[in-house]
Amino acid sequence: MAYYWFKSFHIFGVVAWFAGLFYLARLFIYHVEAEMEIEPAQSILKKQYTIMEKRLYNIITTPAMVLTVVMAAGLLYTMPDYLHQGWMHAKLGFVGLLLFYHFYCGRMIKQLEAGECKWNSKTLRLFNEGPTLLLVIIVMLVIFKGQFPTGATTWLIVALTISFLATIQLYARKRRLDKEREVAEAAATGKEQVLQS
Ligand code: HEM
């Protein structure tokens, strides 16, 4: 029975942890894009994003990470044989990368607050794909364990997933270009009005 409790709370933890990581990366993008705004909007937005990032990281994302790991330890305690299986070693390796990503986000909150972040919104969008990729790999490992499928259905699912992700990227790129054009047009109109007055 303990195994099912650990597993249920492990999955609750995973869902909340990823929700936090996905939203955090989105906030980083908005935070960096606030640079394009004029004052006082820029300072107000940056201050607000810092508050939101800290609350999300400290109140949801980190406790969810702790819950996931503690419940995982409980699962391994009830199923010690998993520790000798290759898929679990691979899973632990990818979870290590996820933990690195998690703590790097904590560092990035501090850098953004101090105005020392070197990332732009384009590279942050790529950074945002990290947890998605790790989620797919880790879930596949835990479901298929040692017998990863290589049949036609698998390749169809892989192709559909890639096309889905590519569509999202293209749409995001279109929105970014539209926004940049709007900002440039607004700046040009502002200049014209100043010259006319
Ligand atoms: C601290 C690292 C982790 C350890 C040691 C760990 C260990 C485990 C173990 C032993 C199970 C039970 C497997 C079974 O009985 O079939 C499990 C289930 C599961 N884990 Fe993890 N896990 C960890 C982190 C994660 C992460 C980060 C994710 C998500 C990306 C995740 C997703 C899942 C899922 C979805 C299940 C349920 C699978 C099923 O019921 O078939 N785990 N985990």
Side-chain angles (χ1 to χ4, degrees):
M1 195 50 87
Y3 166 80
Y4 293 110
W5 281 112
F6 287 137
K7 195 149 139 174
S8 305
F9 280 86
H10 181 57
I11 295 173
F12 299 152
V14 165
V15 173
W17 187 11
F18 274 88
L21 288 177
F22 289 147
Y23 189 31
L24 205 52
R26 220 16 29 227
L27 285 176
F28 291 161
I29 294 171
Y30 296 146
H31 197 142
V32 166
E33 285 179 350
E35 291 284 344
M36 288 200 281
E37 303 293 334
I38 47 165
E39 289 294 2
Q42 187 184 126
S43 306
I44 296 169
L45 282 171
K46 283 181 167 177
K47 204 170 157 200
Q48 186 58 32
Y49 286 135
T50 301
I51 294 171
M52 290 166 78
E53 286 155 7
K54 282 186 179 168
R55 285 192 187 152
L56 180 63
Y57 189 74
N58 295 328
I59 302 174
I60 295 176
T61 319
T62 301
M65 179 271 284
V66 173
L67 180 69
T68 306
V69 174
V70 171
M71 293 300 119
L75 278 169
L76 289 178
Y77 178 74
T78 53
M79 300 291 243
D81 278 358
Y82 282 149
L83 275 173
H84 305 291
Q85 297 175 11
W87 67 271
M88 179 51 78
H89 301 159
K91 180 175 174 175
L92 289 175
F94 288 110
V95 174
L97 289 179
L98 190 65
L99 285 168
F100 177 80
Y101 181 94
H102 177 100
F103 290 113
Y104 193 81
C105 283
R107 200 175 148 214
M108 202 175 265
I109 294 172
K110 289 189 190 129
Q111 285 179 344
L112 280 164
E113 187 179 16
E116 289 165 0
C117 180
K118 301 273 182 291
W119 296 65
N120 60 33
S121 78
K122 224 182 207 169
T123 46
L124 276 172
R125 280 190 164 81
L126 272 181
F127 179 74
N128 198 2
E129 301 305 336
T132 314
L133 195 66
L134 289 171
L135 175 67
V136 172
I137 297 172
I138 295 171
V139 170
M140 298 290 268
L141 276 170
V142 84
I143 300 291
F144 290 103
K145 301 197 165 62
Q147 324 118 16
F148 194 79
T150 49
T153 320
T154 309
W155 294 115
L156 183 68
I157 291 171
V158 170
L160 283 173
T161 311
I162 293 173
S163 354
F164 180 64
L165 293 176
T167 312
I168 293 174
Q169 287 302 319
L170 286 173
Y171 178 67
R173 190 180 133 87
K174 184 186 169 307
R175 279 191 49 194
R176 199 171 56 244
L177 291 175
D178 286 350
K179 169 103 185 159
E180 279 168 16
R181 204 179 42 242
E182 260 172 41
V183 170
E185 276 170 14
T189 320
K191 265 187 206 156
E192 258 174 43
Q193 278 170 356
V194 170
L195 287 173
Q196 279 166 10
S197 60

